[in-house]
Amino acid sequence: MSEENNTSGWDAIDQRMAGIYGQQEPKHYGTLLPYSLGGQDPLDGISAYKSESGVPHWHFVTYGFSELYAKESDMAEHSGYGFELTFRLTRSEEEEEPPAWALNLLQNMGRYVFNSGNIFRSGDYLDANGPICLGSDTLLTALAFIQDPELPPMDTPNCHVEFLQMVGITRDEMEAMQTWNTLGVLRVGLEHFPQYVTDVQRGSVLLHPDVSEAVSKGMEEEGSSTGFLYVDQLAWTPGKKSLFSKTPSILSLGAKQAGIIGKLLRGRILKGKSLTLVGPEIRAVFEPGTQAECHFQDDEVRMTLNEQTAAEVCRYLLPKESTFELSAIRGTAIQIVPTHIKDQEGNIVETIG
């Protein structure tokens, strides 16, 4: 087969989907102008199948994160980024076309991966910082990723490909995933959204006592699996000394993430694990130890917390503006600054703290 006619990667995906849907002709949405030539959509295509499994829903699959044509990369273990995304979305009986916002969401995931180089893995989560369906009042404001229950990994002529299902989640569900782990929360909530079908009208599964109790138990017994967290509001201001006064060194955090950082510290430090916050210009590493202390060097704050100091930090890390000095680490304070949530035009729509 010539390179020009080689669609082996694409064909492998088609064959895998045909194994589920037989002769069903999917709704397919291709890209006329490739991203590499200035087009707006990074994915070569998206197919949507009608599924009756569990609840009636659209089952989307992407074409473009893996190598669809001739093998071009020197990656011997996987094809392209090594995965394609799927997405299951509730469908009404009379619905004949999948909603455009879902297609746009998948293309936006493509832009994120292609532009940042960051890839998704089963167990990851992503804060969308707003409704996953723009303009709606849905409570789903984040995404989780898990292996598609009907699509196990496969080997294609261009190497290994996994199918990662994207799942719409609420803000408190994301926080539960951060303070425990993504796959654990999805597993205990499965009864309430079979096959992880996204329903933009649903509420949080944590409203069900069986789920909230299982999450609390999981965090208590296992702690948090989140070792790294990106914090867009993270800064360090060195202290100053003079003949008459001394100002402490200050670690600043945004109010939006202060609360979850407190919960993460509780689920990491008290389990003997470290937590690293990564900001635009500095890193802050919290690690367990017997002697509480703080050092700053080479754009990295390294703070050792014993159980008493960790409990103190967690107690004060709340989503409201404040500054508090640490009793066991003299000359060091933590400041919570307001977070301004902006819309796509840059207008402030909410202030936290």
Side-chain angles (χ1 to χ4, degrees):
M1 181 181 294
S2 67
E3 274 194 27
E4 291 79 4
N5 297 320
N6 185 352
T7 59
S8 56
W10 189 299
D11 295 340
I13 298 172
D14 282 348
Q15 291 169 13
R16 175 54 61 86
M17 300 306 293
I20 301 175
Y21 296 104
Q23 298 300 312
Q24 181 185 152
E25 189 70 25
K27 300 287 184 180
H28 185 76
Y29 302 86
T31 301
L32 295 177
L33 184 63
Y35 201 56
S36 58
L37 298 180
Q40 297 299 309
D41 297 327
L43 301 176
D44 288 43
I46 301 170
S47 284
Y49 293 82
K50 286 185 175 181
S51 175
E52 305 298 333
S53 180
V55 297
H57 64 273
W58 292 107
H59 190 187
F60 298 86
V61 61
T62 64
Y63 294 76
F65 290 105
S66 64
E67 292 171 284
L68 303 173
Y69 312 108
K71 180 71 175 175
E72 295 181 355
S73 73
D74 55 3
M75 297 291 185
E77 296 182 357
H78 50 78
S79 172
Y81 290 107
F83 69 90
E84 292 291 350
L85 288 179
T86 70
F87 184 48
R88 298 174 186 266
L89 181 65
T90 52
R91 171 178 54 84
S92 63
E93 291 185 7
E94 65 277 5
E95 199 171 3
E96 292 299 325
E97 294 288 338
W101 72 261
L103 302 170
N104 292 332
L105 179 61
L106 287 164
Q107 289 288 4
N108 283 336
M109 293 301 102
R111 293 183 187 94
Y112 170 79
V113 172
F114 281 46
N115 293 336
S116 70
N118 298 328
I119 63 173
F120 299 117
R121 297 182 177 87
S122 180
D124 286 348
Y125 55 80
L126 180 70
D127 190 350
N129 291 313
I132 62 171
C133 175
L134 292 178
S136 75
D137 59 357
T138 179
L139 297 177
L140 306 183
T141 58
L143 299 162
F145 300 85
I146 190 171
Q147 182 177 300
D148 189 297
E150 288 187 307
L151 295 170
M154 68 177 183
D155 290 318
T156 76
N158 295 328
C159 302
H160 194 70
V161 177
E162 296 183 350
F163 293 92
L164 294 181
Q165 183 173 326
M166 194 167 66
V167 185
I169 56 174
T170 64
R171 181 174 179 177
D172 62 342
E173 289 167 354
M174 184 187 72
E175 290 183 354
M177 292 173 183
Q178 292 173 319
T179 54
W180 182 25
N181 68 72
T182 300
L183 299 183
V185 175
L186 290 176
R187 183 181 69 252
V188 299
L190 180 58
E191 179 183 349
H192 304 286
F193 52 121
Q195 288 194 297
Y196 306 118
V197 174
T198 293
D199 179 357
V200 295
Q201 301 300 320
R202 76 169 178 87
S204 170
V205 296
L206 295 176
L207 294 175
H208 299 279
D210 59 323
V211 177
S212 60
E213 290 171 9
V215 170
S216 296
K217 182 179 179 181
M219 178 186 169
E220 184 66 28
E221 293 180 352
E222 303 171 18
S224 170
S225 65
T226 302
F228 292 83
L229 183 70
Y230 180 78
V231 180
D232 51 5
Q233 288 178 279
L234 184 67
W236 175 258
T237 305
K240 296 180 180 180
K241 297 180 181 179
S242 70
L243 289 174
F244 305 103
S245 64
K246 178 181 178 181
T247 59
S249 297
I250 298 176
L251 178 67
S252 298
L253 304 168
K256 180 178 184 290
Q257 292 179 299
I260 190 61
I261 292 170
K263 294 178 182 178
L264 288 176
L265 285 173
R266 188 178 299 112
R268 298 289 296 181
I269 299 297
L270 300 183
K271 296 295 182 181
K273 304 174 184 178
S274 64
L275 173 67
T276 299
L277 307 180
V278 180
E281 298 180 356
I282 69 162
R283 292 159 54 99
V285 181
F286 296 87
E287 54 190 2
T290 56
Q291 182 66 39
E293 54 188 3
C294 180
H295 301 284
F296 179 76
Q297 186 176 5
D298 299 330
D299 297 326
E300 180 179 276
V301 181
R302 186 167 290 272
M303 193 174 294
T304 302
L305 304 177
N306 55 27
E307 288 193 13
Q308 179 181 354
T309 308
E312 179 185 10
V313 172
C314 294
R315 187 166 63 251
Y316 288 110
L317 279 178
L318 301 171
K320 62 180 182 179
E321 188 174 9
S322 65
T323 301
F324 58 93
E325 292 195 45
L326 301 177
S327 58
I329 308 178
R330 293 186 176 181
T332 302
I334 295 179
Q335 181 183 42
I336 312 300
V337 298
T339 298
H340 301 296
I341 306 298
K342 299 180 180 180
D343 59 20
Q344 291 182 315
E345 286 73 38
N347 301 310
I348 296 176
V349 295
E350 181 184 0
T351 296
I352 300 174

